[in-house]
Amino acid sequence: DGAGGGGGAGWVNISAVFMASRDTTPTGPDWLAPPTPAAPVVVFVNSTMVTIAWPATLSSSTFDAITTGSSSRRGQETRAYDVEYAVGAVNESYARLAHVQASEPRLITLSGLTPLTSYRFRVRAVSATSFGSFSDDVVATTEEYPVNVWFRVNARRWKRAAEGHGLAAPVVGRPHYDPVAQTRNPLPRNDSDRLSDPPTGDRQVAPSPRRGHSLSVIYGHVYLFGGLTEGYDCNSAITDSLRYGSPYAGLSVEQCRALSDESNEVWRYSPVPNMWEKVLPSTASPPAREQHFGVTLDDKLIVFGGMSYVKGSGDEDDDAVVDGTAGTPEYLDDLWELDVGRLSYTHSITSEEYDMVIPEGGQAFMTMDVNRTGLKAGDGEGLSSSQGSEIADGLCIVDIDVSVELRHPCTRQVQLVLYGPGPNDYDANFEPPAHAYPTVLFNYHDGTGGRTAGGCGRNLEGTTFDDDADVGVHEAKSPGFDGSFRPFEKLSTYHNLRPHGQWALGVYDRDTDGLTGVVSNWTIHLTMQECDQTYHWTELATSVAAADRPSARARPAAVVVDGSIFMYGGMSGAPRTVLSDLWRFDRSEQTWTKLSDDIPSDGRVYSNSPLGRPSVTAFESVGRSLVLTPWGLLSFGGVRGGLVDMVSRLEERVWLYDLWSEEWSEVITNDRTANQAAPSPHRHRAEGLFRGMAQPDLFEAVPAVGRYLGAAAVVGEGSIVDATGYGVPHADLPAIFTFGGYDGVRVHDDLRALSLHGMAAHGSKAEVQRHDVCNPLLLANSTGDTNWQRSEER
């Protein structure tokens, strides 16, 4: 009973909360408790989460028949598990965590925990009528809360031996680079025994120092394009001229630099092997530029705008300039697309032989020649003989299927073997030695799925062997084998090999019993891609009139939404004018749509924002890198305008902009205290000596982020892929990768990364916030939805 307030009474049904068999220690043969589980084990722990697992309990064979004659177990068969936890290493106040059915995985995760705190876990088994004793407990201590960590990435340089340029060049037809192209090399030679090639004029091993470039992520790789660069050392034998002294260290040292000024180079950085590779497109590249935008759309790199500077006249070594033109910026309005995926082609070849007899207890072979004609592009469009011949030699198999029509009264005595190129030694330097490598497609199957002993099976009618089929040929339950089946051995053994040459189908009959068969025909279906990946530039929207496209500009901001690019603002004209117009580019239609007009500005304040946002200071920060992440918009570097303290300086902090509250906040990293970053000793030797550093470190212990016109990209907010196409883990991801930029002294060629474990631990509230803010605006017939539809109609 109970009373309170104005009085009253209450009652409790004890049968609803108490059952003797579950709340007393079971005794006697009627109530046999389930066994006690072994202690759980900790399988994962971080700062806010613990995951534990435990082994299954083994039930006794004791049955109710002992006391009641029943055939069902009573008391000992484990039906579920109770999991409890307590906070603290010695706390005995346990709380219920979960009730896990025995049929479910014996794994449980507790999240939202406090860092550097101990938690105790224990488990007991539960049967239909009873429960057992709790296991021994296990103690897990959460880790320290992660921080966002800066680290310098010392990437490996590209090894050309991996491309087959070197010792085996005569075998695969990949000769050494022309020694004439080797810059300032006093001993050029074309020795076929040389294992690899040194840096050349068109194939350096790492990007040069630069600013105003872009970084974009495609298939887990970071692509660098363009920028204003200091160029490369002419003497490729000297890896770092700064170690020998340079003008930046106060020493008079003449430097020879090649390929300086604006660049149209493309570099690819791969996080898994930690390696740079210079990309050499097979088509004409865009004009050199800096301060453009580069984004990823449909797994392609899209580049727009930017600027270059009017140079002097004469050849590349002529320093003479035309009066009044040197250094004059030229703004660009062209749009380009780089396809970084390998182009696909298909080829189906049917044997010219028909109705080959399979002798009883014998064998027969049907051959076909896979030649260089009959190719089709990935979209199904046929190629001419000249096009096919030109392309075919550079193609390798990425998928192969085989179709067979066979008549035989008992397929259980038939074996089919495909003979093709192989074995594949996965070495770019060597081709397979022969076209006689066997793969068993069909191995004496009867179409009963192994259910019937002595089954026979009859014919192969419309049968296709495909590694990607849902059913294996040994599992087939159709005696006619109609449809697609996985072969007995995988056809993928031929992947990454060139297909040209003779293929053969071997048919074997193992019994001499008067039964014969006929192979009507067989076909090979090939999907091929370029063996050596090529890259293809294409200029987009070339037919769009000047009035229907954005004006030439540099420093525009761009973001990709579905299949469109939204571009805002930029800088253009002489004198320089800040723009604030908004455009949308639709890739499928290759059209530009103007969403808002440019609004005049005094160069300092946008008084009427076209997006309906509050007024912002135009030059509060310029030259910074912005990256859109699951946690918001991250800002790196740039120059602060000094409107508050009247002192302009490079921004050294990392800032996060919340897209929904529209507020900036500083991101805590392990970097130096903001605004107190000391000069790097290896760049300022005198400063290092003044600080007592006779032998200063070559690299900073912690990266400095104060850079102007650098570039950044986020990698690993999902999974990344390696060369095989499979997702791979990476301890430092997710992370923001930054490259280069200007620090007031010189431009840089350093690759740095900010690991975002601290932000990832917080989780992302962006989706919830987006739902709360956007969904009401985009309801059918709402004001927001009407405005969006109008923008699409423009």
Side-chain angles (χ1 to χ4, degrees):
D1 63 274
W11 60 276
V12 175
N13 184 349
I14 193 169
S15 64
V17 296
F18 177 80
M19 183 172 69
S21 63
R22 297 292 300 269
D23 291 81
T24 62
T25 302
T27 58
D30 289 345
W31 306 106
L32 298 174
T36 301
V41 295
V42 177
V43 296
F44 176 81
V45 62
N46 64 12
S47 60
T48 60
M49 181 185 303
V50 173
T51 299
I52 65 168
W54 60 95
T57 57
L58 298 178
S59 299
S60 170
S61 58
T62 302
F63 289 80
D64 261 359
I66 296 176
T67 55
T68 66
S70 171
S71 61
S72 62
R73 296 181 181 180
R74 181 175 183 177
Q76 286 200 308
E77 184 179 20
T78 300
R79 301 291 182 87
Y81 297 92
D82 286 334
V83 184
E84 296 185 345
Y85 80 102
V87 181
V90 296
N91 184 15
E92 293 292 339
S93 298
Y94 283 93
R96 176 82 166 269
L97 175 59
H99 182 73
V100 180
Q101 296 297 321
S103 59
E104 299 176 355
R106 295 180 304 279
L107 193 77
I108 196 72
T109 297
L110 181 61
S111 58
L113 307 180
T114 304
L116 298 177
T117 303
S118 296
Y119 295 86
R120 302 176 69 187
F121 299 88
R122 64 182 186 181
V123 180
R124 70 177 176 183
V126 179
S127 69
T129 58
S130 183
F131 61 88
S133 302
F134 276 105
S135 67
D136 294 336
D137 59 13
V138 63
V139 178
T141 302
T142 53
E143 300 174 350
E144 185 178 3
Y145 201 85
V147 295
N148 305 302
V149 178
W150 275 109
F151 58 96
R152 178 160 182 157
V153 181
N154 296 310
R156 296 188 296 159
R157 302 184 174 198
W158 182 247
K159 296 180 179 179
R160 284 191 201 86
E163 298 174 328
H165 295 276
L167 181 63
V171 178
V172 293
R174 299 174 184 171
H176 291 286
Y177 292 111
D178 185 354
V180 176
Q182 298 176 14
T183 58
R184 296 291 180 90
N185 189 342
L187 297 173
R189 61 195 183 102
N190 194 17
D191 181 1
S192 60
D193 292 334
R194 191 170 68 243
L195 291 175
S196 62
D197 293 287
T200 67
D202 65 344
R203 190 77 165 182
Q204 294 77 24
V205 293
S208 59
R210 64 189 66 206
R211 71 166 206 194
H213 48 288
S214 62
L215 294 180
S216 305
V217 179
I218 307 175
Y219 298 132
H221 301 288
V222 181
Y223 285 84
L224 180 154
F225 172 73
L228 180 63
T229 172
E230 287 186 349
Y232 301 87
D233 287 334
C234 294
N235 191 344
S236 60
I238 299 178
T239 59
D240 185 355
S241 62
L242 296 177
R243 299 180 185 179
Y244 298 90
S246 74
Y248 308 112
L251 302 178
S252 179
V253 178
E254 180 182 356
Q255 285 187 306
C256 173
R257 307 291 287 184
L259 301 178
S260 58
D261 300 323
E262 295 84 24
S263 170
N264 61 357
E265 294 177 332
V266 180
W267 286 86
R268 185 181 77 170
Y269 171 71
S270 303
V272 175
N274 187 31
M275 185 180 291
W276 280 112
E277 177 189 3
K278 186 175 183 180
V279 171
L280 297 180
S282 59
T283 56
S285 298
R289 66 193 65 204
E290 68 156 331
Q291 301 181 43
H292 53 279
F293 81 59
V295 297
T296 300
L297 176 62
D298 294 335
D299 297 322
K300 296 178 176 62
L301 172 62
I302 308 293
V303 172
F304 173 80
M307 61 189 296
S308 60
Y309 296 91
V310 177
K311 305 299 188 302
S313 60
D315 59 32
E316 294 181 359
D317 296 328
D318 186 1
D319 293 329
V321 297
V322 179
D323 292 342
T325 62
T328 301
E330 178 183 356
Y331 295 92
L332 306 173
D333 65 351
D334 50 347
L335 182 69
W336 291 79
E337 174 185 271
L338 178 65
D339 189 341
V340 304
R342 298 187 177 185
L343 300 182
S344 294
Y345 300 86
T346 60
H347 197 184
S348 293
I349 313 97
T350 300
S351 172
E352 297 180 355
E353 300 181 58
Y354 292 91
D355 297 333
M356 180 187 69
V357 176
I358 310 170
E360 58 171 320
Q363 59 191 23
F365 297 89
M366 296 181 73
T367 62
M368 70 168 63
D369 290 325
V370 177
N371 53 39
R372 292 161 174 78
T373 59
L375 288 178
K376 291 185 178 181
D379 57 6
E381 182 178 353
L383 303 174
S384 66
S385 297
S386 59
Q387 287 176 315
S389 297
E390 180 180 353
I391 295 170
D393 287 336
L395 299 181
C396 287
I397 300 170
V398 294
D399 187 50
I400 177 173
D401 302 333
V402 179
S403 297
V404 179
E405 294 283 344
L406 179 147
R407 300 192 301 274
H408 196 285
C410 188
T411 59
R412 191 177 182 86
Q413 62 191 51
V414 174
Q415 184 187 53
L416 301 180
V417 181
L418 178 67
Y419 295 92
N424 190 345
D425 57 8
Y426 301 96
D427 189 334
N429 292 310
F430 300 99
E431 296 287 354
H435 268 64
Y437 193 74
T439 297
V440 178
L441 305 178
F442 189 89
N443 198 43
Y444 311 113
H445 304 294
D446 58 14
T448 64
R451 297 171 301 169
T452 304
C456 212
R458 186 180 182 87
N459 301 337
L460 270 66
E461 301 170 338
T463 305
T464 298
F465 298 98
D466 180 359
D467 282 352
D468 298 322
D470 294 331
V471 179
V473 68
H474 64 287
E475 303 169 320
K477 300 177 182 178
S478 171
F481 296 94
D482 182 19
S484 294
F485 302 93
R486 293 191 308 275
F488 185 74
E489 294 179 345
K490 290 188 175 182
L491 287 163
S492 58
T493 188
Y494 302 115
H495 286 188
N496 302 316
L497 296 175
R498 289 177 172 82
H500 310 302
Q502 190 177 78
W503 294 68
L505 179 68
V507 186
Y508 302 88
D509 186 325
R510 66 180 177 180
D511 294 332
T512 304
D513 55 2
L515 300 179
T516 62
V518 174
V519 177
S520 301
N521 60 74
W522 68 294
T523 303
I524 293 180
H525 309 278
L526 297 171
T527 300
M528 296 170 287
Q529 291 182 346
E530 299 161 315
C531 301
D532 297 322
Q533 183 172 357
T534 60
Y535 300 83
H536 312 270
W537 279 110
T538 304
E539 187 172 5
L540 303 178
T542 55
S543 61
V544 178
D548 298 326
R549 62 187 301 152
S551 60
R553 66 190 66 199
R555 302 186 191 176
V559 65
V560 173
V561 179
D562 295 330
S564 301
I565 300 173
F566 290 80
M567 183 189 72
Y568 175 73
M571 180 182 67
S572 182
R576 297 179 180 179
T577 302
V578 176
L579 305 173
S580 58
D581 50 346
L582 179 65
W583 291 80
R584 185 185 75 233
F585 175 72
D586 297 306
R587 173 65 182 84
S588 59
E589 304 294 333
Q590 292 202 32
T591 57
W592 284 100
T593 303
K594 194 172 187 177
L595 302 180
S596 75
D597 294 324
D598 187 28
I599 295 179
S601 169
D602 61 2
R604 289 182 61 83
V605 176
Y606 300 125
S607 57
N608 296 298
S609 170
L611 300 181
R613 302 301 191 194
S615 300
V616 296
T617 304
F619 293 109
E620 180 181 2
S621 182
V622 296
R624 60 187 172 185
S625 302
L626 298 174
V627 182
L628 186 61
T629 73
W631 305 280
L633 192 66
L634 287 173
S635 171
F636 299 83
V639 176
R640 288 176 21 218
L643 296 179
V644 177
D645 54 9
M646 304 309 293
V647 178
S648 297
R649 59 167 60 92
L650 289 172
E651 179 58 77
E652 298 161 356
R653 292 165 290 185
V654 179
W655 291 88
L656 175 67
Y657 182 72
D658 189 301
L659 300 175
W660 311 109
S661 67
E662 300 183 21
E663 295 179 350
W664 287 98
S665 60
E666 183 180 353
V667 176
I668 304 301
T669 72
N670 70 329
D671 207 351
R672 295 184 175 92
T673 303
N675 305 322
Q676 296 181 12
S680 302
H682 76 282
R683 289 191 278 112
H684 306 274
R685 296 302 178 102
E687 180 72 15
L689 291 175
F690 290 150
R691 292 175 179 268
M693 300 179 184
Q695 300 291 332
D697 294 334
L698 182 60
F699 302 116
E700 305 98 317
V702 181
V705 296
R707 303 286 175 83
Y708 173 71
L709 292 179
V714 60
V715 178
E717 71 264 44
S719 63
I720 62 175
V721 297
D722 61 6
T724 66
Y726 291 97
V728 295
H730 198 291
D732 296 322
L733 300 181
I736 300 290
F737 284 81
T738 67
F739 181 85
Y742 180 67
D743 70 349
V745 178
R746 69 179 180 102
V747 291
H748 290 261
D749 61 354
D750 54 344
L751 180 66
R752 303 170 185 272
L754 175 62
S755 182
L756 300 178
H757 289 310
M759 299 187 70
H762 280 292
S764 175
K765 300 179 181 179
E767 183 62 26
V768 176
Q769 293 171 320
R770 185 203 65 78
H771 181 277
D772 294 342
V773 174
C774 293
N775 284 17
L777 297 176
L778 298 180
L779 292 175
N781 302 320
S782 68
T783 303
D785 181 60
T786 301
N787 292 339
W788 179 259
Q789 298 300 329
R790 287 177 180 174
S791 73
E792 291 186 331
E793 294 171 359
R794 292 185 181 183

